[in-house]
Amino acid sequence: MNNRTCAVLLLAAVLAAGCAITQTVKPVTVAGITDLCIKRNSRVMMSSFLPELTSQIEKKGIHTTVYDGERPASCKYSLDYTANWHWDLAMYLVFAEINVYDSGLLVGQATYDAHAGGGRPDKFGPTADKLRGLLDQLFARS
Amino acid sequence: MTPATYMVSQDTKSALAKYQGAKLMFADLSGPAAFDPMCRAVGKISVADGMTIGQFVAKGFNDELKFAGLYAADRVKLTGTVTKAAFSSSAAVVNGYWDLAITLQSINGQSMSVESHHDFEAGFIGASACNNTSRALGPAVQQLVQKTVNDPRFAALIR
């Protein structure tokens, strides 16, 4: 392999790696979740995020209850989340993380990270669609 | 930096099932003596709730014990040391790894040492690669815990 080929391959690798949107999902490992308590995150500025999250989970047949502060003792299964958006001519979801717990132990996690995806057009699009992709995988086994 | 979190494993729960009846917990592990938490020029690797690596490894063991129903807070049966914690966020340009090693001691006098190597996809851009490296500590500790409880010597520690 000559130097020019090496340079082209390296540039291609750099460009590909530099335009990545990563979605990492570790599906919930416990089955039979029927009730889920969701901890409200007041630092998530998009007010429609929590209603969308609860709505999509409810559509999976899981009853949700939103709480603030400490997890109520009656909540065996709980969920917390965070989400951030960036502006690039339009708002787009740049990071989201959803954690599911069984009695306080982390049993499932979904992460969407577009921090390195600045050059990709698919960074745009409804947050609801991106959330659906995460939740479908997160609750695939439960 | 996105902090590392520990997720319990069904495989580890299954591996611990044969110890039903045992009740134990891990005290925080000491060490490592040398650990550089700086990732490139981006910042320090971060662990949830500001835990040290030793506290995070102990949490991993204790979470698995709780998940398997073997945890008892009033028992301190195992102590230990993290003898190695090292990472790369740029192996083969876009990959990374965590190397972890521990030595565990039981109050019954038995001890064992375990090493674990965990590879992951880091990415090219610094901030993203270091976030992924920080997050990968969770799966790395999960792998270490699983390797430990699957080791035949582990049974001798909890007798």
Side-chain angles (χ1 to χ4, degrees), chain A residues 50-70:
Chain A
L50 179 56
E52 183 61 37
L53 177 66
T54 56
S55 168
Q56 290 197 19
I57 293 173
E58 294 265 356
K59 283 178 184 164
K60 296 183 178 303
I62 300 172
H63 177 254
T64 62
T65 309
V66 176
Y67 72 96
D68 297 285
E70 291 296 306

Side-chain angles (χ1 to χ4, degrees), chain A residues 17 29 97 105-107 109 111, chain B residues 5-8 10 124 135:
Chain A
T29 53
E97 182 174 283
L105 301 173
L106 184 63
V107 293
Q109 187 174 61
T111 308
Chain B
T5 52
Y6 188 84
M7 183 171 152
V8 291
Q10 283 288 352
F124 181 75
R135 299 176 61 82

Side-chain angles (χ1 to χ4, degrees), chain A residues 10 14 17-18 22 26-27 29-30 95 97 99 102 105-109 111 113 115-116, chain B residues 2 5-10 59 62-63 66-67 93-94 123-125 128 131-132 135 139:
Chain A
L10 183 61
V14 166
T22 56
K26 297 166 191 166
T29 53
V30 292
F95 183 81
E97 182 174 283
N99 297 309
D102 176 353
L105 301 173
L106 184 63
V107 293
Q109 187 174 61
T111 308
D113 189 349
H115 280 110
Chain B
T2 309
T5 52
Y6 188 84
M7 183 171 152
V8 291
S9 153
Q10 283 288 352
K59 175 183 164 53
N62 286 328
D63 278 4
K66 289 173 186 172
F67 198 44
V93 184
V94 294
F124 181 75
I125 294 175
S128 183
N131 262 326
N132 290 335
R135 299 176 61 82

Side-chain angles (χ1 to χ4, degrees), chain B residues 45-69:
Chain B
I45 292 299
S46 166
V47 180
D49 302 323
M51 282 183 277
T52 64
I53 299 282
Q55 288 170 331
F56 188 63
V57 171
K59 175 183 164 53
F61 277 107
N62 286 328
D63 278 4
E64 297 292 0
L65 292 174
K66 289 173 186 172
F67 198 44

Side-chain angles (χ1 to χ4, degrees), chain B residues 30-101:
Chain B
S30 61
F35 172 63
D36 180 3
M38 275 304 293
C39 180
R40 305 190 188 181
V42 174
K44 291 181 179 178
I45 292 299
S46 166
V47 180
D49 302 323
M51 282 183 277
T52 64
I53 299 282
Q55 288 170 331
F56 188 63
V57 171
K59 175 183 164 53
F61 277 107
N62 286 328
D63 278 4
E64 297 292 0
L65 292 174
K66 289 173 186 172
F67 198 44
L70 304 181
Y71 180 85
D74 56 345
R75 311 276 180 89
V76 179
K77 209 167 183 185
L78 297 171
T79 59
T81 305
V82 179
T83 53
K84 182 179 185 183
F87 64 84
S88 169
S89 67
S90 56
V93 184
V94 294
N95 294 319
Y97 66 79
W98 272 96
D99 279 331
L100 296 171

